[in-house]
Amino acid sequence: MDRENLEGGQIASPLLVRGRADNEGDGGCNGSLGNGVDAMKSDTSSTMVLVLSTCVACCGSYVFGAAVGYSSPAQSGIIDDLGLSVAQYSVFGSILSIGALLAGVMSGKIADLLGRRCTMGFSEIFSVIGWLAIAFSQGAWCLYLGRLSLGYGIGLLSYVVPVYIAEITPRNLRGGFTTVNQLMISCGLSMTYLIGTFISWRALSLIGTIPCVLQLLSLFFTPESPRWLAMVGRWSDCEAALQCLRGKNANISEEVAEIREYTEILQQSSKPTILDLFQRKYVHSLVVGVGLMVLQQLGGVNAIGYYASAIFESAGFPSSIGTIAIAVVQVPMNLLGVLLMDVSGRRPLLMYSAAGTCLASFLIGLSYLLKGFQVWTELTPIMAVVGAVVFRGMFALGMGGIPWVMMSEIFPINMKMLGGSLVTAVNWFGTWIIAYAFNFLMDWSSEGTFFMFAIAGGLTVVFVAKVVPETKGRTLEEIQATMNPIIAT
């Protein structure tokens, strides 16, 4: 991007002065908020609208976490009540990822067609249907269909929530706000673990509908993404939504001008295809996005997330105590990650997080190895639960949320649909492989399974150190100017 034009003021005249000749509207907020331009710059503080919009979006993240965490506390109840075999329950646990994979393939297209806000509402319809189908199922096929529908809903949410948050927040707050996505995923998973130890699996599924309905209702009062409004040519709505998000007295002229310039440059290009994503100028973004998602899944997070209860039982530790310990630890660690995101940066948190999951997986594998040799038999269950708790805590610190943050940052707006869809699909395909194969891997070699997860964690540290850029404190347009310099000139 030609930064001299921005800094020299050649295109920095505010849209507010241009009037409202474009498509009239409010982008989801009161259009009267677009009148004040005299106070502090737009990227210096958050407003109540920004905070509330992020909270509404993150209701979808809570649904995501609840869906992932559901299969662990519900496992024994579903198997006993419906008479499922281990193989059938493995299908139930993993088919969530199939639905999410299908959604991931088309998530970018849907988000670009409907808008970020409508896509979140669309996804929650599938989520509600899924939860209800599970709650009232009388056999395996109804369970599968409900889990598939729920997976489709959270597959859309896994893409659109971090993208929406990244597009509405100013540069100095984007990392922390986007990481709230992972914080709420952890909250959803933790609450499901906790509640699931006290109530039946059917009641737990009904409770899962509550955040879905809450988000559906709240979206009517939430502004649309200004960058999406700009992408579809609704400039007056873009201006009004941005003013609403930054505050009525904020000066948004520089931010609007930068969005306008970058959007117009991209719109001059031909409509991209999936093959365009593999051009040399996008290769860095593609390698970073896909690489982080592949390594995140190979690290084994969803094996522990989906089957924590079974892991504790096989290690000889009470499953209820173990799942409660995970629930208690991962939320504070995720909160710490949110607080550190825009202080330490993305790369250090990623490396510390991956190193922690590597050591935790090694500890779990070592506990199974010692158990097999009948060595330290009283200590090995404690080693397993400590490893699992440390794994979830260290994963929540960075590896859980930062890959999604970076997915929302590293692709230019014209390639975000294709790039984000591919990255999301890769993530969910990896989730399905791990979720379905985990029980069979454990039958093959419990210690070998977790040693492989440890190797993946070590490779992640090397990958981040060598390939992943730091995006802290930079606008989305500035990130593209350095990652994809060919399209930014």
Side-chain angles (χ1 to χ4, degrees), residues 39-47 50 168-173 242-243 245-247 249-256:
M40 63 181 65
K41 288 187 176 181
S42 60
D43 65 349
T44 57
S45 65
S46 61
T47 66
L50 177 62
I168 67 172
T169 49
R171 73 185 82 181
N172 64 316
L173 300 174
L242 192 62
Q243 192 76 70
L245 289 162
R246 299 295 180 261
N249 293 320
N251 185 345
I252 63 170
S253 58
E254 182 180 347
E255 189 172 3
V256 169

Side-chain angles (χ1 to χ4, degrees), residues 98-150:
I98 297 295
L101 175 61
L102 294 174
V105 172
M106 57 186 75
S107 57
K109 183 68 174 177
I110 293 174
D112 279 0
L113 181 65
L114 301 181
R116 312 324 191 199
R117 189 174 55 172
C118 288
T119 300
M120 286 187 278
F122 183 66
S123 66
E124 292 296 13
I125 294 173
F126 283 92
S127 299
V128 169
I129 292 172
W131 283 123
L132 292 176
I134 294 171
F136 296 105
S137 61
Q138 298 299 322
W141 280 105
C142 190
L143 274 178
Y144 296 162
L145 292 175
R147 188 78 165 163
L148 187 69
S149 178
L150 181 58

Side-chain angles (χ1 to χ4, degrees), residues 11 93 101 221 234 265 279-280 302 316 382 394 426 455 485 489:
I11 63 166
L101 175 61
F221 309 98
R234 294 168 55 183
I265 290 173
Q279 295 181 43
R280 180 172 171 268
N302 284 302
I382 298 175
M394 293 304 297
V426 166
I455 292 172
T489 56

Side-chain angles (χ1 to χ4, degrees), residues 223-234:
E224 182 56 271
S225 160
R227 286 178 169 84
W228 179 79
L229 292 168
M231 183 182 69
V232 297
R234 294 168 55 183

Side-chain angles (χ1 to χ4, degrees), residues 429-480:
F429 181 68
T431 300
W432 172 72
I433 291 175
I434 297 299
Y436 184 75
F438 178 70
N439 286 326
F440 302 104
L441 287 172
M442 290 289 283
D443 289 339
W444 162 69
S445 173
S446 299
E447 62 272 18
T449 300
F450 283 96
F451 287 150
M452 288 192 297
F453 293 161
I455 292 172
L459 291 175
T460 304
V461 176
V462 176
F463 179 79
V464 173
K466 298 294 185 181
V467 180
V468 176
E470 182 57 72
T471 59
K472 182 190 76 170
R474 301 158 81 185
T475 67
L476 300 180
E477 291 74 25
E478 287 171 343
I479 293 169
Q480 293 312 310

